[in-house]
């Protein structure tokens, strides 16, 4: 496959080497812009995970697609329920949970009600969300905002602070052509939002579609993301979390580290494997290995991000 079909700045071989397909438990530590990762269970792993002094501690879950019906996963409600049970069974209760979009598959009121009720059982202080394109299939996200948009601005973007870490929720799924799109109003929101922050403030940005060019041929990127990322260059630690691609991937560019999450619904193919990112049907045992959640914590004193990806048990 030619380089033009690979993620920007990375060869096909490099993409597959750095992307974890089956959602295995991966521990990453991010400090000083360098990403160090180990797969849990490797001989040299040493049992690493989220440090005990991590603060704040939160969980990312993504792409539950409640309402999906197909052979790739005949029980998305069950797999999302397992994810919730896994989160509730964590040794340390997370300060909050982030869902990075495609909560539903067809954006019906019943599907939004179902996912809201299910996430209401999470043992956490708060649940934050952003919409995926499946959450706005027929109304530019109005039903999503009715269910989850309280306190947000514009099309659903917002920010908040937890123990010295600044979080920004962005919406890049409502004005799609081929790639995700933020728009001038949202870029202006970010500009004003970070203007008063000290450059040593850790920043976490979460959106549905990646804010880097992971695979533009499939729309896995955001056409105006560079405008937002340029506003974050002065910060020493920036982490961008996304869903959409249904597989684990980590990439570092300067002071920014990008983490793509796996899904609780169904796998998608590797970038470029086939004509489109259609759901992949796996045997039941392998499907469970492809689904998971992400536990995240900031390490006190070091402002380092520790990430652990967990398979659904």
């Amino acid at each position: 496959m030619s380089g033009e079909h690979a993620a920007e700045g990375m060869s096909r071989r490099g993409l597959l080497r750095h992307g974890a397909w089956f959602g295995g438990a991966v521990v990453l530590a991010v400090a000083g812009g360098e990403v160090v990762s180990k797969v849990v269970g490797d001989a040299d792993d040493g049992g690493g995970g989220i440090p005990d002094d991590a603060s704040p501690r939160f969980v990312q879950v993504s792409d539950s697609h409640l309402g999906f019906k197909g052979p790739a996963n005949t029980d998305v409600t069950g797999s999302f329920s397992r994810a919730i049970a896994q989160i509730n069974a964590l040794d340390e209760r997370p300060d909050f949970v982030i869902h990075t979009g495609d909560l539903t598959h067809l954006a019906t009121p019943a599907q939004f009600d179902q996912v809201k009720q299910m996430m209401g059982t999470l043992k956490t202080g708060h649940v934050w969300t952003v919409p995926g394109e499946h959450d706005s299939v027929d109304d530019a996200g109005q039903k999503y905002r009715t269910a989850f948009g309280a306190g947000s601005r514009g099309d659903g973007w917002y920010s908040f602070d937890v123990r010295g870490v600044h979080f920004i929720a962005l919406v890049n799924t409502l004005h799609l052509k081929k790639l995700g799109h933020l728009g001038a109003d949202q870029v202006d929101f970010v500009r004003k939002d970070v203007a008063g922050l000290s450059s040593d403030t850790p920043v976490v940005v979460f959106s549905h579609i990646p804010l880097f060019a992971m695979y533009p041929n499939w729309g896995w990127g955001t056409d105006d993301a560079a405008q937002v990322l340029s506003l974050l260059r002065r910060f020493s630690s920036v982490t961008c979390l996304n869903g959409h691609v249904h597989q684990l991937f980590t990439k570092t560019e300067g002071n920014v580290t990008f983490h793509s999450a796996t899904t609780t619904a169904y796998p998608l193919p590797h970038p470029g494997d086939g004509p489109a990112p259609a759901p992949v049907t796996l045997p039941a045992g392998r499907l469970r290995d492809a689904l998971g959640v992400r536990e995240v914590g900031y390490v006190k004193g070091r402002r380092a991000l520790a990430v652990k990806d967990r398979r659904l048990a």
Side-chain angles (χ1 to χ4, degrees), residues 1-3 5-7 10-19 215 218 247 269-274:
M1 190 166 98
S2 66
H5 294 300
M10 181 171 288
S11 69
R12 166 93 169 140
R13 178 177 298 174
L15 182 66
L16 296 182
R17 183 174 65 249
H18 287 80
Y215 194 67
W218 283 356
Q247 54 200 278
H270 287 300
D273 286 354

PDB file of all heavy atoms in Angstrom, residues 1-3 5-7 10-19 215 218 247 269-274:
ATOM      1  N   MET A   1       0.845  -1.183   0.000  1.00  0.00           N
ATOM      2  CA  MET A   1       0.000   0.000   0.000  1.00  0.00           C
ATOM      3  C   MET A   1       0.882   1.235   0.000  1.00  0.00           C
ATOM      4  O   MET A   1       1.870   1.300   0.726  1.00  0.00           O
ATOM      5  CB  MET A   1      -0.881   0.004   1.234  1.00  0.00           C
ATOM      6  CG  MET A   1      -1.956   1.052   1.200  1.00  0.00           C
ATOM      7  SD  MET A   1      -3.169   0.715   2.479  1.00  0.00           S
ATOM      8  CE  MET A   1      -2.586   1.810   3.721  1.00  0.00           C
ATOM      9  N   SER A   2       0.555   2.240  -0.769  1.00  0.00           N
ATOM     10  CA  SER A   2       1.394   3.417  -0.908  1.00  0.00           C
ATOM     11  C   SER A   2       1.277   4.300   0.316  1.00  0.00           C
ATOM     12  O   SER A   2       0.315   4.270   1.061  1.00  0.00           O
ATOM     13  CB  SER A   2       0.977   4.213  -2.150  1.00  0.00           C
ATOM     14  OG  SER A   2      -0.311   4.750  -1.991  1.00  0.00           O
ATOM     15  N   GLY A   3       2.280   5.166   0.500  1.00  0.00           N
ATOM     16  CA  GLY A   3       2.317   6.043   1.661  1.00  0.00           C
ATOM     17  C   GLY A   3       1.141   6.991   1.716  1.00  0.00           C
ATOM     18  O   GLY A   3       0.731   7.419   2.788  1.00  0.00           O
ATOM     19  N   HIS A   5      -1.835   6.402   1.362  1.00  0.00           N
ATOM     20  CA  HIS A   5      -2.995   5.784   1.978  1.00  0.00           C
ATOM     21  C   HIS A   5      -2.777   5.497   3.451  1.00  0.00           C
ATOM     22  O   HIS A   5      -3.636   4.937   4.108  1.00  0.00           O
ATOM     23  CB  HIS A   5      -3.343   4.479   1.266  1.00  0.00           C
ATOM     24  CG  HIS A   5      -3.795   4.686  -0.142  1.00  0.00           C
ATOM     25  ND1 HIS A   5      -4.896   5.435  -0.449  1.00  0.00           N
ATOM     26  CD2 HIS A   5      -3.276   4.257  -1.324  1.00  0.00           C
ATOM     27  CE1 HIS A   5      -5.063   5.445  -1.769  1.00  0.00           C
ATOM     28  NE2 HIS A   5      -4.089   4.754  -2.314  1.00  0.00           N
ATOM     29  N   ALA A   6      -1.614   5.853   3.999  1.00  0.00           N
ATOM     30  CA  ALA A   6      -1.354   5.625   5.419  1.00  0.00           C
ATOM     31  C   ALA A   6      -1.632   6.896   6.186  1.00  0.00           C
ATOM     32  O   ALA A   6      -1.842   7.962   5.632  1.00  0.00           O
ATOM     33  CB  ALA A   6       0.099   5.185   5.619  1.00  0.00           C
ATOM     34  N   ALA A   7      -1.659   6.788   7.519  1.00  0.00           N
ATOM     35  CA  ALA A   7      -1.859   7.965   8.340  1.00  0.00           C
ATOM     36  C   ALA A   7      -0.734   8.953   8.078  1.00  0.00           C
ATOM     37  O   ALA A   7       0.403   8.588   7.808  1.00  0.00           O
ATOM     38  CB  ALA A   7      -1.873   7.576   9.819  1.00  0.00           C
ATOM     39  N   MET A  10       3.169   8.665   9.053  1.00  0.00           N
ATOM     40  CA  MET A  10       3.429   7.325   9.572  1.00  0.00           C
ATOM     41  C   MET A  10       3.156   6.313   8.481  1.00  0.00           C
ATOM     42  O   MET A  10       2.126   6.357   7.810  1.00  0.00           O
ATOM     43  CB  MET A  10       2.541   7.041  10.796  1.00  0.00           C
ATOM     44  CG  MET A  10       2.765   5.671  11.411  1.00  0.00           C
ATOM     45  SD  MET A  10       1.901   5.474  12.973  1.00  0.00           S
ATOM     46  CE  MET A  10       2.881   6.539  14.018  1.00  0.00           C
ATOM     47  N   SER A  11       4.084   5.377   8.292  1.00  0.00           N
ATOM     48  CA  SER A  11       3.907   4.347   7.282  1.00  0.00           C
ATOM     49  C   SER A  11       2.878   3.328   7.723  1.00  0.00           C
ATOM     50  O   SER A  11       2.497   3.261   8.880  1.00  0.00           O
ATOM     51  CB  SER A  11       5.238   3.626   7.049  1.00  0.00           C
ATOM     52  OG  SER A  11       5.586   2.853   8.187  1.00  0.00           O
ATOM     53  N   ARG A  12       2.401   2.523   6.766  1.00  0.00           N
ATOM     54  CA  ARG A  12       1.448   1.460   7.086  1.00  0.00           C
ATOM     55  C   ARG A  12       2.039   0.528   8.145  1.00  0.00           C
ATOM     56  O   ARG A  12       1.371   0.164   9.107  1.00  0.00           O
ATOM     57  CB  ARG A  12       1.147   0.675   5.796  1.00  0.00           C
ATOM     58  CG  ARG A  12       0.454  -0.652   6.034  1.00  0.00           C
ATOM     59  CD  ARG A  12      -1.024  -0.480   5.949  1.00  0.00           C
ATOM     60  NE  ARG A  12      -1.693  -1.749   5.927  1.00  0.00           N
ATOM     61  CZ  ARG A  12      -2.795  -1.986   6.559  1.00  0.00           C
ATOM     62  NH1 ARG A  12      -3.352  -1.049   7.289  1.00  0.00           N
ATOM     63  NH2 ARG A  12      -3.403  -3.151   6.488  1.00  0.00           N
ATOM     64  N   ARG A  13       3.334   0.167   7.990  1.00  0.00           N
ATOM     65  CA  ARG A  13       3.964  -0.730   8.954  1.00  0.00           C
ATOM     66  C   ARG A  13       3.988  -0.081  10.330  1.00  0.00           C
ATOM     67  O   ARG A  13       3.684  -0.696  11.343  1.00  0.00           O
ATOM     68  CB  ARG A  13       5.378  -1.079   8.506  1.00  0.00           C
ATOM     69  CG  ARG A  13       6.124  -1.981   9.490  1.00  0.00           C
ATOM     70  CD  ARG A  13       7.499  -2.336   8.945  1.00  0.00           C
ATOM     71  NE  ARG A  13       7.403  -3.077   7.686  1.00  0.00           N
ATOM     72  CZ  ARG A  13       8.459  -3.409   6.951  1.00  0.00           C
ATOM     73  NH1 ARG A  13       9.673  -3.060   7.343  1.00  0.00           N
ATOM     74  NH2 ARG A  13       8.303  -4.085   5.835  1.00  0.00           N
ATOM     75  N   GLY A  14       4.335   1.210  10.378  1.00  0.00           N
ATOM     76  CA  GLY A  14       4.383   1.911  11.659  1.00  0.00           C
ATOM     77  C   GLY A  14       3.015   2.022  12.291  1.00  0.00           C
ATOM     78  O   GLY A  14       2.859   1.909  13.502  1.00  0.00           O
ATOM     79  N   LEU A  15       1.994   2.252  11.465  1.00  0.00           N
ATOM     80  CA  LEU A  15       0.639   2.359  11.981  1.00  0.00           C
ATOM     81  C   LEU A  15       0.211   1.074  12.648  1.00  0.00           C
ATOM     82  O   LEU A  15      -0.334   1.071  13.753  1.00  0.00           O
ATOM     83  CB  LEU A  15      -0.322   2.705  10.839  1.00  0.00           C
ATOM     84  CG  LEU A  15      -1.783   2.902  11.218  1.00  0.00           C
ATOM     85  CD1 LEU A  15      -1.929   4.129  12.099  1.00  0.00           C
ATOM     86  CD2 LEU A  15      -2.626   3.071   9.958  1.00  0.00           C
ATOM     87  N   LEU A  16       0.476  -0.051  12.016  1.00  0.00           N
ATOM     88  CA  LEU A  16       0.067  -1.331  12.581  1.00  0.00           C
ATOM     89  C   LEU A  16       0.903  -1.684  13.800  1.00  0.00           C
ATOM     90  O   LEU A  16       0.420  -2.352  14.715  1.00  0.00           O
ATOM     91  CB  LEU A  16       0.168  -2.431  11.523  1.00  0.00           C
ATOM     92  CG  LEU A  16      -0.762  -2.275  10.330  1.00  0.00           C
ATOM     93  CD1 LEU A  16      -0.608  -3.458   9.386  1.00  0.00           C
ATOM     94  CD2 LEU A  16      -2.213  -2.140  10.769  1.00  0.00           C
ATOM     95  N   ARG A  17       2.156  -1.245  13.819  1.00  0.00           N
ATOM     96  CA  ARG A  17       2.994  -1.551  14.974  1.00  0.00           C
ATOM     97  C   ARG A  17       2.520  -0.770  16.194  1.00  0.00           C
ATOM     98  O   ARG A  17       2.533  -1.270  17.320  1.00  0.00           O
ATOM     99  CB  ARG A  17       4.450  -1.198  14.665  1.00  0.00           C
ATOM    100  CG  ARG A  17       5.396  -1.569  15.813  1.00  0.00           C
ATOM    101  CD  ARG A  17       6.851  -1.354  15.423  1.00  0.00           C
ATOM    102  NE  ARG A  17       7.165   0.035  15.183  1.00  0.00           N
ATOM    103  CZ  ARG A  17       7.457   0.545  13.997  1.00  0.00           C
ATOM    104  NH1 ARG A  17       7.450  -0.215  12.913  1.00  0.00           N
ATOM    105  NH2 ARG A  17       7.750   1.824  13.859  1.00  0.00           N
ATOM    106  N   HIS A  18       2.070   0.475  15.999  1.00  0.00           N
ATOM    107  CA  HIS A  18       1.684   1.309  17.128  1.00  0.00           C
ATOM    108  C   HIS A  18       0.211   1.178  17.480  1.00  0.00           C
ATOM    109  O   HIS A  18      -0.198   1.600  18.552  1.00  0.00           O
ATOM    110  CB  HIS A  18       1.983   2.785  16.817  1.00  0.00           C
ATOM    111  CG  HIS A  18       3.434   3.100  16.849  1.00  0.00           C
ATOM    112  ND1 HIS A  18       4.277   2.813  15.803  1.00  0.00           N
ATOM    113  CD2 HIS A  18       4.202   3.646  17.813  1.00  0.00           C
ATOM    114  CE1 HIS A  18       5.495   3.203  16.108  1.00  0.00           C
ATOM    115  NE2 HIS A  18       5.479   3.717  17.322  1.00  0.00           N
ATOM    116  N   GLY A  19      -0.606   0.625  16.620  1.00  0.00           N
ATOM    117  CA  GLY A  19      -2.026   0.501  16.904  1.00  0.00           C
ATOM    118  C   GLY A  19      -2.341  -0.888  17.424  1.00  0.00           C
ATOM    119  O   GLY A  19      -1.963  -1.881  16.831  1.00  0.00           O
ATOM    120  N   TYR A 215      -6.453   8.603   9.284  1.00  0.00           N
ATOM    121  CA  TYR A 215      -6.660   7.982   7.974  1.00  0.00           C
ATOM    122  C   TYR A 215      -7.722   8.782   7.221  1.00  0.00           C
ATOM    123  O   TYR A 215      -8.908   8.441   7.233  1.00  0.00           O
ATOM    124  CB  TYR A 215      -7.083   6.515   8.128  1.00  0.00           C
ATOM    125  CG  TYR A 215      -6.977   5.738   6.830  1.00  0.00           C
ATOM    126  CD1 TYR A 215      -5.728   5.492   6.243  1.00  0.00           C
ATOM    127  CD2 TYR A 215      -8.101   5.260   6.184  1.00  0.00           C
ATOM    128  CE1 TYR A 215      -5.619   4.802   5.055  1.00  0.00           C
ATOM    129  CE2 TYR A 215      -8.014   4.556   4.993  1.00  0.00           C
ATOM    130  CZ  TYR A 215      -6.771   4.329   4.438  1.00  0.00           C
ATOM    131  OH  TYR A 215      -6.661   3.638   3.252  1.00  0.00           O
ATOM    132  N   TRP A 218     -10.790   7.569   5.023  1.00  0.00           N
ATOM    133  CA  TRP A 218     -12.016   7.091   5.670  1.00  0.00           C
ATOM    134  C   TRP A 218     -12.659   8.173   6.529  1.00  0.00           C
ATOM    135  O   TRP A 218     -13.568   7.884   7.306  1.00  0.00           O
ATOM    136  CB  TRP A 218     -11.717   5.865   6.534  1.00  0.00           C
ATOM    137  CG  TRP A 218     -11.547   4.601   5.762  1.00  0.00           C
ATOM    138  CD1 TRP A 218     -11.705   4.425   4.414  1.00  0.00           C
ATOM    139  CD2 TRP A 218     -11.181   3.316   6.302  1.00  0.00           C
ATOM    140  NE1 TRP A 218     -11.463   3.118   4.074  1.00  0.00           N
ATOM    141  CE2 TRP A 218     -11.141   2.411   5.209  1.00  0.00           C
ATOM    142  CE3 TRP A 218     -10.881   2.858   7.573  1.00  0.00           C
ATOM    143  CZ2 TRP A 218     -10.821   1.063   5.375  1.00  0.00           C
ATOM    144  CZ3 TRP A 218     -10.554   1.520   7.743  1.00  0.00           C
ATOM    145  CH2 TRP A 218     -10.529   0.630   6.652  1.00  0.00           C
ATOM    146  N   GLN A 247     -10.658   1.296  17.711  1.00  0.00           N
ATOM    147  CA  GLN A 247      -9.426   0.549  17.937  1.00  0.00           C
ATOM    148  C   GLN A 247      -8.415   1.447  18.634  1.00  0.00           C
ATOM    149  O   GLN A 247      -8.489   2.675  18.542  1.00  0.00           O
ATOM    150  CB  GLN A 247      -8.848  -0.005  16.642  1.00  0.00           C
ATOM    151  CG  GLN A 247      -8.633   1.016  15.551  1.00  0.00           C
ATOM    152  CD  GLN A 247      -8.541   0.348  14.186  1.00  0.00           C
ATOM    153  OE1 GLN A 247      -7.475  -0.147  13.820  1.00  0.00           O
ATOM    154  NE2 GLN A 247      -9.641   0.337  13.452  1.00  0.00           N
ATOM    155  N   PRO A 269     -12.197  -2.345  10.748  1.00  0.00           N
ATOM    156  CA  PRO A 269     -10.938  -2.853  10.184  1.00  0.00           C
ATOM    157  C   PRO A 269      -9.780  -1.898  10.388  1.00  0.00           C
ATOM    158  O   PRO A 269      -9.967  -0.720  10.692  1.00  0.00           O
ATOM    159  CB  PRO A 269     -11.270  -3.009   8.692  1.00  0.00           C
ATOM    160  CG  PRO A 269     -12.383  -2.046   8.452  1.00  0.00           C
ATOM    161  CD  PRO A 269     -13.196  -2.018   9.706  1.00  0.00           C
ATOM    162  N   HIS A 270      -8.560  -2.449  10.208  1.00  0.00           N
ATOM    163  CA  HIS A 270      -7.377  -1.601  10.158  1.00  0.00           C
ATOM    164  C   HIS A 270      -7.554  -0.559   9.055  1.00  0.00           C
ATOM    165  O   HIS A 270      -8.207  -0.818   8.030  1.00  0.00           O
ATOM    166  CB  HIS A 270      -6.137  -2.429   9.819  1.00  0.00           C
ATOM    167  CG  HIS A 270      -5.655  -3.314  10.924  1.00  0.00           C
ATOM    168  ND1 HIS A 270      -5.259  -2.844  12.149  1.00  0.00           N
ATOM    169  CD2 HIS A 270      -5.476  -4.652  10.966  1.00  0.00           C
ATOM    170  CE1 HIS A 270      -4.856  -3.846  12.903  1.00  0.00           C
ATOM    171  NE2 HIS A 270      -4.987  -4.961  12.207  1.00  0.00           N
ATOM    172  N   PRO A 271      -6.964   0.625   9.226  1.00  0.00           N
ATOM    173  CA  PRO A 271      -7.011   1.610   8.145  1.00  0.00           C
ATOM    174  C   PRO A 271      -6.510   1.022   6.826  1.00  0.00           C
ATOM    175  O   PRO A 271      -5.426   0.465   6.746  1.00  0.00           O
ATOM    176  CB  PRO A 271      -6.069   2.715   8.645  1.00  0.00           C
ATOM    177  CG  PRO A 271      -6.122   2.591  10.129  1.00  0.00           C
ATOM    178  CD  PRO A 271      -6.245   1.127  10.402  1.00  0.00           C
ATOM    179  N   GLY A 272      -7.333   1.129   5.799  1.00  0.00           N
ATOM    180  CA  GLY A 272      -6.965   0.660   4.473  1.00  0.00           C
ATOM    181  C   GLY A 272      -7.303  -0.780   4.176  1.00  0.00           C
ATOM    182  O   GLY A 272      -7.158  -1.223   3.037  1.00  0.00           O
ATOM    183  N   ASP A 273      -7.752  -1.546   5.179  1.00  0.00           N
ATOM    184  CA  ASP A 273      -8.146  -2.934   4.939  1.00  0.00           C
ATOM    185  C   ASP A 273      -9.596  -2.965   4.462  1.00  0.00           C
ATOM    186  O   ASP A 273     -10.528  -2.996   5.264  1.00  0.00           O
ATOM    187  CB  ASP A 273      -8.005  -3.778   6.216  1.00  0.00           C
ATOM    188  CG  ASP A 273      -6.557  -4.084   6.536  1.00  0.00           C
ATOM    189  OD1 ASP A 273      -5.683  -3.742   5.726  1.00  0.00           O
ATOM    190  OD2 ASP A 273      -6.306  -4.672   7.604  1.00  0.00           O
ATOM    191  N   GLY A 274      -9.768  -2.907   3.142  1.00  0.00           N
ATOM    192  CA  GLY A 274     -11.095  -2.874   2.566  1.00  0.00           C
ATOM    193  C   GLY A 274     -11.472  -1.472   2.128  1.00  0.00           C
ATOM    194  O   GLY A 274     -10.762  -0.500   2.389  1.00  0.00           O
TER     195      GLY A 274
END
